[in-house]
Amino acid sequence: MRVQYIHLHHTDSTNRYVAQADMPPNADLLVVDADYQTAGRGQGTNTWEGAEGCNLLFSVLYYPQRVQANRQYILSMAGALALHDALSTFPDTMPYAGDFSLKWPNDVYYRHSKVSGTLIQTSLHQQSVRRCIWGVGLNVNQQSFHSDAPNPLSLCTIVGHEIDRRLLLGHIVDALVRRLSQVDDGEYDTVSTDYLKVLYRREGWHVYRDVDGQFTARISGVREDGTLLLEDTAGRIRTYAFKEVEYVIKQ
């Protein structure tokens, strides 16, 4: 898979930049990263805090070959897994591999703290996904955070020293190429199984909150469309789309 990189010093949003771009000739992936974003976004109405020149702020443009619209969550899983794969095998962070997990739907966690978030945008044509954009914010070398985000953490805080962002970005893109190759080859079961294996709170009973209040449940699974399945203590299976349930996390 051929990759084209574009590096920007400043931009309002790498996702916006990529959304207005065309795939370069002789490229299968376009990766645009920036030292600083003035309007970086998270999921929904969230913003992404990032000190200039400290973190990885990048977006990836890809045209899937044969992903049906009703199974597009496979692209979210593949992107999240690529980040998890990369952090679990990158020399600086590999000693901490067992403490990285994926918090549904696609955040990367270190123990109970968030190190990365992804905003994914897809465009459909008829019944298939025509275009996919991943916008990733990964806390790398930022020492302190000032937003109201509840539990941010940077990789340098974990490992005790600064990390080469360019090397890490290349490692992540290599991992993404491998996961997208699985998607292109129709290996959805492999991607889904690997995703479930590394889910945050994949084992045991934990506290959650929905519109009716707090409850205790365990993860039962994730549907093809991304719906989270939780089994509560009464044996009832509760289903949630994104933003319909909150993880109650005690630091």
Side-chain angles (χ1 to χ4, degrees):
M1 194 174 289
R2 302 160 300 179
V3 182
Q4 177 71 49
Y5 290 88
I6 296 176
H7 175 71
L8 306 172
H9 291 295
H10 290 78
T11 187
D12 56 351
S13 163
T14 57
N15 261 31
R16 183 207 57 79
Y17 185 100
V18 167
Q20 296 179 356
D22 294 321
M23 186 69 73
N26 303 316
D28 302 297
L29 282 182
L30 173 62
V31 180
V32 177
D33 76 290
D35 292 326
Y36 184 70
Q37 293 184 124
T38 59
R41 286 181 55 202
Q43 294 281 6
T45 60
N46 296 341
T47 58
W48 184 266
E49 176 187 3
E52 183 170 358
C54 290
N55 304 314
L56 278 178
L57 309 169
F58 66 97
S59 296
V60 180
L61 173 64
Y62 181 61
Y63 291 92
Q65 294 184 12
R66 55 180 72 87
V67 176
Q68 296 299 304
N70 62 354
R71 303 194 71 181
Q72 62 183 295
Y73 190 69
I74 195 72
L75 295 166
S76 181
M77 288 192 287
L81 274 171
L83 288 165
H84 186 274
D85 293 345
L87 293 178
S88 299
T89 57
F90 190 67
D92 288 334
T93 53
M94 185 168 55
Y96 310 90
D99 288 314
F100 288 107
S101 61
L102 297 177
K103 179 177 171 286
W104 175 85
N106 53 22
D107 289 341
V108 180
Y109 264 46
Y110 175 79
R111 297 181 181 171
H112 301 294
S113 296
K114 180 177 177 177
V115 297
S116 176
T118 298
L119 173 64
I120 184 168
Q121 300 170 304
T122 55
S123 300
L124 307 180
H125 177 68
Q126 296 179 350
Q127 301 301 315
S128 298
V129 179
R130 175 182 174 271
R131 183 177 72 168
C132 182
I133 297 173
W134 292 268
V136 179
L138 174 60
N139 299 326
V140 182
N141 293 323
Q142 188 164 338
Q143 297 288 343
S144 60
F145 297 87
H146 306 289
S147 73
D148 58 359
N151 57 346
L153 184 70
S154 66
L155 298 179
C156 73
T157 302
I158 297 170
V159 304
H161 59 80
E162 291 196 350
I163 290 173
D164 188 317
R165 293 182 300 135
R166 308 307 303 173
L167 286 178
L168 179 56
L169 177 60
H171 200 69
I172 292 170
V173 173
D174 287 345
L176 181 59
V177 167
R178 289 191 292 271
R179 287 298 181 178
L180 290 180
S181 294
Q182 291 178 325
V183 173
D184 287 344
D185 291 339
E187 298 178 29
Y188 289 15
D189 287 345
T190 297
V191 174
S192 178
T193 298
D194 290 349
Y195 174 82
L196 291 173
K197 283 180 180 177
V198 297
L199 269 187
Y200 176 69
R201 292 187 171 179
R202 60 192 175 274
E203 297 178 350
W205 298 88
H206 302 277
V207 180
Y208 300 86
R209 182 183 296 113
D210 63 12
V211 293
D212 296 319
Q214 287 193 179
F215 63 96
T216 300
R218 60 185 177 187
I219 292 177
S220 178
V222 178
R223 289 177 178 166
E224 287 183 352
D225 64 357
T227 300
L228 178 67
L229 306 179
L230 296 177
E231 179 188 0
D232 63 24
T233 51
R236 170 192 169 197
I237 299 297
R238 303 183 182 211
T239 62
Y240 296 98
F242 181 60
K243 292 290 188 182
E244 291 183 346
V245 67
E246 176 187 352
Y247 288 58
V248 178
I249 299 172
K250 297 181 180 179
Q251 296 293 316

